[in-house]
Amino acid sequence: MAAELVEAKNMVMSFRVSDLQMLLGFVGRSKSGLKHELVTRALQLVQFDCSPELFKKIKELYETRYAKKSSEPVPQPHRPLDPLTIHSTYERASSVPRTPLTGPNIDYPVLYGKYLNGLGRLPAKTLKPEVRLVKLPFFNMLDELLKPTELVPQNNEKLQESPCIFALTPRQVELIRNSRELQPGVKAVQVVLRICYSDTSSPQEDQYPPNIAVKVNHSYCSVPGYYPSNKPGVEPKRPCRPINLTHLMYLSSATNRITVTWGNYGKSYSVALYLVRQLTSSELLQRLKTIGVKHPELCKALVKEKLRLDPDSEIATTGVRVSLICPLVKMRLSVPCRAETCAHLQCFDAVFYLQMNEKKPTWMCPVCDKPAPYDQLIIDGLLSKILSECEDADEIEYLVDGSWCPIRAEKERSCSPQCPILVLGTSDTNGLLSTPSVNGGGGSVLGSAGSGGGPVGSMENGKPGADVVDLTLDSSSSSEEEEEEEEDEEDEDEEGPRPKRRCPFQKGLVSAC
């Protein structure tokens, strides 16, 4: 095959401008430009779009141009060629005398340099950077059918058409036929078309040109539509993904023709064809569990590093809280995951993250809203261990030594026994009064001298007991209030009206808890 390519390139190099224009017009490429531009375009065509039909056309043009100058009989110029006999045909064509410009034994690179620069010597070889596309996690590339090739406008019209002709090898056909079905009618091994900007500075993401339409053989292929926007005033976005062409292709040695219709509005685009195997979110999850788990000790060292005191900082961080709830679906984490480039310890659930990116690929961290591509995802081994050991808490706190403790719910932490009865009294001596608690035990508060656990308002040593205030009872439903009111009325009758009694604990409140 390499010898055939060299021979075909030598034939192209000997073409005149009219021959080059006929060849480029045959495959739908631009026919305008100087001769060295046409030669370069034709050589790229031979290099990247090899097909029996293209070889046949080159041979016909070559034989038509040099049939009369040849002293040896040559085949008829318009006789159909069998693809299996192309090699022998090219060998016979190599014996045809060339023009004086090329010479019979001229080397192809030297001739290529002559046409490009008009010089007799070979210039320094310069490699033009190629367009590269970003790697897609859900598509495992098997073969490159067509390298990224620029879409060249043929005229000044806004709507352009660019055809591409290729054939599958028997091995590629078998891979497609024997692959499993992801869903009815959709094979796992596919021929996909990818389109991107013609920018060689960095790997490019898929980007569709305006007014795109893709025709495979005689049928149009569906292109992903637009996502509706939920925000007012925001235009809907179009997901630019690889376009599956497999269901419209000839799964045989027959030649497939793909025509891309696109809008020419000043931006340059490139197209490429790949044979890929599409993966599912479960397969990516299994691969992540195999090669992407970070050891618990490494995660513990990362926690220590995060909580290490910064010498320039005046505030020491003693702990950091991490939720065990996934921020994506508000459910408990099952496979805690985050990107290695993320600065936070909070994780999200890898299962839901992969499922969401399978439907709508964004690969953005739901915690910090920064890129979190699949190749940078890790499973937190320490948090996975904590999830299995701590099943009754939804939040934990990492401490400076790398240890952790669960954080219970607020109502659980604030639960405490009922407060005891607080007894406040007025006495000349400072002593401790024992009063019964709710649970039957004795408590000590400031009061009059003596001790006792009798009922409220009882007599002690023939004298009225100290005033007792039960803080656990409702002041509006106590029988003691009625007794105190009766005593106050009697005192008023005998001694006159008494001044209003102030609350004995107004100035200094004592907490009972």
Side-chain angles (χ1 to χ4, degrees), residues 225 239 243 285 331 363 385 475:
I243 304 174
L285 178 63
M331 296 173 60
W363 300 105
K385 183 179 179 181
S475 61

Side-chain angles (χ1 to χ4, degrees), residues 197-219:
Y197 288 129
S198 297
D199 186 0
T200 59
S201 60
S202 61
Q204 298 296 301
E205 296 182 350
D206 293 65
Q207 185 66 46
Y208 297 156
N211 308 115
I212 182 176
V214 180
K215 187 177 182 180
V216 181
N217 295 321
H218 303 289
S219 303

Side-chain angles (χ1 to χ4, degrees), residues 240-309:
C240 297
R241 300 183 178 184
I243 304 174
N244 186 10
L245 312 178
T246 316
H247 60 289
L248 298 177
M249 296 184 59
Y250 301 136
L251 297 182
S252 62
S253 58
T255 302
N256 293 278
R257 183 181 181 89
I258 299 173
T259 304
V260 179
T261 304
W262 53 285
N264 181 24
Y265 293 95
K267 292 186 178 180
S268 180
Y269 296 86
S270 294
V271 298
L273 285 172
Y274 300 101
L275 184 71
V276 300
R277 175 178 280 108
Q278 185 175 355
L279 306 177
T280 62
S281 59
S282 352
E283 292 174 321
L284 289 185
L285 178 63
Q286 188 60 37
R287 180 189 297 178
L288 185 62
K289 289 181 177 180
T290 305
I291 63 175
V293 180
K294 195 167 186 177
H295 196 274
E297 291 299 325
L298 296 178
C299 298
K300 188 175 181 179
L302 179 62
V303 172
K304 292 181 180 180
E305 181 66 22
K306 293 286 184 183
L307 296 177
R308 184 174 59 88
L309 178 61

Side-chain angles (χ1 to χ4, degrees), residues 303-322:
V303 172
K304 292 181 180 180
E305 181 66 22
K306 293 286 184 183
L307 296 177
R308 184 174 59 88
L309 178 61
D310 187 0
D312 299 332
S313 177
E314 298 179 357
I315 301 176
T317 305
T318 59
V320 59
R321 291 188 176 187
V322 172

Side-chain angles (χ1 to χ4, degrees), residues 1 3-16 18-27 38-67 75-79 81 86 89-90 93-94 96 98:
M1 188 62 183
E4 295 174 359
L5 285 175
V6 173
E7 190 64 30
K9 291 176 180 178
N10 286 334
M11 292 182 185
V12 169
M13 297 302 298
S14 64
F15 284 171
R16 297 181 180 178
S18 59
D19 301 327
L20 294 171
Q21 290 176 343
M22 292 180 64
L23 178 62
L24 294 173
F26 174 73
V27 294
L38 299 178
V39 172
T40 303
R41 207 171 298 151
L43 288 175
Q44 291 178 350
L45 186 66
V46 173
Q47 180 69 29
F48 302 124
D49 193 11
C50 301
S51 65
E53 293 182 2
L54 182 63
F55 284 139
K56 176 182 176 181
K57 186 64 177 179
I58 294 174
K59 187 65 173 65
E60 288 178 358
L61 293 173
Y62 183 86
E63 291 174 351
T64 302
R65 174 64 58 189
Y66 298 105
Q76 295 296 325
H78 297 289
R79 181 180 66 84
L81 295 179
I86 288 180
T89 305
Y90 288 161
S94 62
V96 178
R98 309 292 177 86

Side-chain angles (χ1 to χ4, degrees), residues 38 43 88 108 160 167 174 176 195 222 227 253 297 341 350 382 429 453 473 485 488 497 509:
L38 299 178
L43 288 175
S88 60
Y108 157 68
Q160 300 285 330
E174 288 300 316
I176 297 175
I195 308 177
S222 61
Y227 284 140
S253 58
E297 291 299 325
T341 54
L382 178 60
T429 60
L473 297 179
E485 290 178 357
D488 290 340
L509 297 179

